[in-house]
Amino acid sequence: MSILADDDPARRAGAILSIDLGAIAANWRGLRDAGRATGRPVDCAAVLKADAYGTGAAVVGPLLAAEGCRQFFVAHIEEGIALRRVLPEPPIYVLNGLLPGTEGDFVEHRLVPVLNHLGQLNAWRAAAQRFNLALDAVVHLDTGMHRLGFGAEDAQFLINERGRLRGLRLALIMSHLVSSEEPSNPINGEQLSRFRTFVRAMPGAPTSLANSSGIFLGPDYHFDLLRPGAALYGINPLPGQPNPMLEVVTLQVRILQTRQIDAFQTVGYGGAWRSARPSRIATIALGYADGYFRNLGNRTFVHLAGHTVPVIGRISMDLVTIDVTDVPEADCQPGAIVEILGPHLTPDILADHARTNAYEVMTALGRRYHRAYVDRFAEAPADETGEPA
Ligand SMILES: *Cc1c(COP(=O)(O)O)cnc(C)c1O
């Protein structure tokens, strides 16, 4: 992928984050098809919270709507309001639910709150009466996460008093899995059985249980609607196994300066790395202010011209140092491109080095990067003969 064309605004950027929209679309189609594998009409939503896991909800939302995605989830109402501007029609569900006093904002922007407890249900029902509208609602059942959602007692109350929902249209009953990335964990089956018991007692509404990894637990977990987030953006839903998804992000950062140092010299704050031999050190335009975690110092590597190059010393706010002693000098001149994320080092691998998960790597992706949307499936540029170059 060339990012150095003379007319490319990325020319002056210190760091370029490329987001492959073709890969996101293909990942969504793959998950949708997994839901349809048994012939039941399972729908596939898209979870776009945290700016579509750092990839840009305002771009990814319309992209997936064009692919046929008809339902969207965000966490915050503000995310829903922003998404509504680019997606005028489809349902947008707000997972964090209804904060007191925000009912009018939900109605104004036609957002659907995920109702997490009886208080929210009562408030939403009162809003339906006040605005004289049959408002859509999602009921979130807690089957074991113990964060948000109707607990067992409130759920039983709702089953006994379905009239509590009068005036609302129950658009979805959902629950969320605790450990879906561990297929052999018995909590999966326990949550499945609690969810089944509840939806049997509340017939008629569409149902949803599976996040990305949950989809791979099999059709029992699919219900009517899949709710993938991570897998859309290339995060491996099957830890420890080959990633069935296409990688989405590439992060390329430029060398700012390369210098020669003697043996036994330290590099960076705190002298946290010391050269064992005369060394060449390159400093690149990246730091913890860009979401490159500070604990990656002395603990990960980057790629440069076919070489694996260690990250050395502390991560600074805006700078990272790498040991390029074994890279030919011609390949580490100022302006040269270093691969931070890409084919050699995926967000899942970087997450391992940082002792976190790829979700955090993705959602921390910096706001200072030049963002380039690309499409690996777009036709190759044609040369003058009209043949692909
Ligand atoms: C974030 C979230 C999802 C998506 O989960 P992934 O593991 O990213 O696929 C689905 N449902 C709920 C309730 C969520 O909070």
Side-chain angles (χ1 to χ4, degrees), residues 47 49 53 95 147 174 176 211-213 227-231 359:
V47 178
K49 62 194 183 190
Y53 294 49
L95 290 164
R147 298 185 312 191
M174 59 168 271
H176 194 38
N211 65 330
S212 296
S213 297
R227 293 195 317 273
Y359 293 64

